[in-house]
């Protein structure tokens, strides 16, 4: 699908928020899904780039993508301007499961892994839940879209340098000792998700994680995103990217 850039907001030297629209109504998307972006004008970028769905604004017919600028492809994407046309395959993958009615929910994100949690939190709130967020980063400057999260629900922050919220990692935050949650959702660096999975497993709390394995095709053909599960090896792009921690071998 060809989409047009509405706005490209530089949130931080290393992050930008890309807002796109289309001439037709956007297809249905659920939190946790991703898109594959073709990067034109970048001779070194041959493959599409997988990007989590950050938010879907139905009233404006907009798709938001939070981009961490780390390589040639994302550097080119950070240069897009209003009116530029971008080709995107969407939506791809499976999303987060809907929790049991009345559940208390904590959505845990690290770095750019906070991206899919904004859409998830907003969707959960729209159907009657009161999600809370626990966001972690190296420093306060790396906490993206904080005001947007705070508009949805209570938001807790940890930073490695202590410049915002509590100092340390997300699993060290005092909210985990102070409150009992019925379900956890997480996305971020693998060490963070492993720590969250260990905490959830020990506490007997259901937990779903969104994996960030390297993806190239997004349709299960290239096999570069394979993850070992208790049922065998699977492609994260087609069987995930969201998995319950009991499906993974992390706790074995």
């Amino acid at each position: 699908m060809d989409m047009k850039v509405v706005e490209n907001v530089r949130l931080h030297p290393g992050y930008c928020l890309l807002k796109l629209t289309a001439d037709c109504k956007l297809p249905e998307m659920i939190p946790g899904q991703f898109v594959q972006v073709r990067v034109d004008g970048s001779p070194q970028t041959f493959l599409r780039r997988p990007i989590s769905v950050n938010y879907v604004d139905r009233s404006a017919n907009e798709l938001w993508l939070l981009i961490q600028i780390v390589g040639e492809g994302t550097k080119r994407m950070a240069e897009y301007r209003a009116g530029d046309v971008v080709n995107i395959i969407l939506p791809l993958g499976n999303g987060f499961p809907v929790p049991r009615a009345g559940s208390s929910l904590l959505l845990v994100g690290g770095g750019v892994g906070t991206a899919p949690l904004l859409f998830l939190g907003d969707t959960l709130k729209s159907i009657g839940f009161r999600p809370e967020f626990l966001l972690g980063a190296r420093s306060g400057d790396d906490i993206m879209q904080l005001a947007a999260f705070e508009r949805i629900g209570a938001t807790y922050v940890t930073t490695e340098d202590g410049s915002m919220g509590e100092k340390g990692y997300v699993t060290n935050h005092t909210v985990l000792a102070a409150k009992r949650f019925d379900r956890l959702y997480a996305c971020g660096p693998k060490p963070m998700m492993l720590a969250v999975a260990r905490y959830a497993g020990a506490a007997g709390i259901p937990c779903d994680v969104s994996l960030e394995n390297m993806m190239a095709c997004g349709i299960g053909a290239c096999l570069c995103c394979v993850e070992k599960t208790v049922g065998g090896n699977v492609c994260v792009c087609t069987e995930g990217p969201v998995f319950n921690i009991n499906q993974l071998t992390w706790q074995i």
Side-chain angles (χ1 to χ4, degrees):
M1 170 186 284
D2 282 339
M3 302 189 71
K4 186 177 294 185
V5 176
V6 175
E7 188 179 15
N8 192 352
V9 184
R10 184 60 68 94
L11 302 177
H12 172 281
Y15 295 86
C16 67
L17 178 62
L18 197 60
K19 299 183 179 182
L20 305 116
T21 191
D23 292 334
C24 60
K25 182 180 178 181
L26 291 177
E28 289 298 320
M29 286 173 269
I30 59 176
Q33 290 185 307
F34 67 99
V35 304
Q36 289 279 118
V37 181
R38 191 178 74 199
V39 184
D40 297 324
S42 176
Q44 299 179 48
T45 308
F46 302 103
L47 301 172
R48 290 177 182 263
R49 291 295 182 263
I51 306 291
S52 296
V53 174
N54 175 229
Y55 187 70
V56 178
D57 185 338
R58 289 291 174 192
S59 62
N61 200 45
E62 287 182 0
L63 166 68
W64 294 11
L65 303 177
L66 180 63
I67 312 294
Q68 182 178 20
I69 306 163
V70 293
E72 291 302 319
T74 49
K75 286 178 183 177
R76 173 68 185 113
M77 293 168 69
E79 297 170 353
Y80 290 157
R81 298 181 178 181
D84 286 349
V85 175
V86 185
N87 186 267
I88 297 179
I89 300 174
L90 78 165
L92 296 168
N94 299 306
F96 292 100
V98 177
R100 176 174 50 83
S103 297
S104 59
L105 310 171
L106 183 66
L107 284 55
V108 186
V112 77
T114 61
L117 302 184
L118 184 66
F119 187 27
L120 174 61
D122 185 72
T123 301
L124 290 170
K125 184 178 180 180
S126 72
I127 57 176
F129 292 95
R130 300 178 64 183
E132 299 182 41
F133 302 95
L134 175 54
L135 312 178
R138 292 178 180 173
S139 72
D141 290 338
D142 298 309
I143 298 290
M144 299 292 109
Q145 302 177 295
L146 179 59
F149 283 107
E150 291 177 331
R151 285 193 291 270
I152 297 171
T155 303
Y156 313 98
V157 172
T158 65
T159 51
E160 293 179 30
D161 64 2
S163 57
M164 182 183 290
E166 296 185 11
K167 185 175 182 179
Y169 300 114
V170 290
T171 47
N172 304 133
H173 198 285
T174 53
V175 70
L176 295 178
K179 299 185 71 171
R180 169 75 184 190
F181 294 94
D182 297 319
R183 195 177 196 101
L184 304 180
Y185 298 96
C187 184
K190 190 168 183 179
M192 184 215 81
M193 290 195 290
L194 284 168
V196 172
R198 285 194 293 268
Y199 165 81
I205 302 173
C207 178
D208 301 285
V209 296
S210 179
L211 303 189
E212 296 188 321
N213 295 32
M214 181 68 70
M215 300 180 195
C217 71
I219 57 173
C222 69
L223 304 181
C224 73
C225 67
V226 168
E227 177 77 17
K228 185 177 181 180
T229 72
V230 295
N233 292 337
V234 301
C235 288
V236 169
C237 64
T238 55
E239 302 301 317
V242 177
F243 294 88
N244 185 275
I245 58 172
N246 291 332
Q247 297 174 269
L248 304 172
T249 60
W250 293 359
Q251 301 181 91
I252 295 176

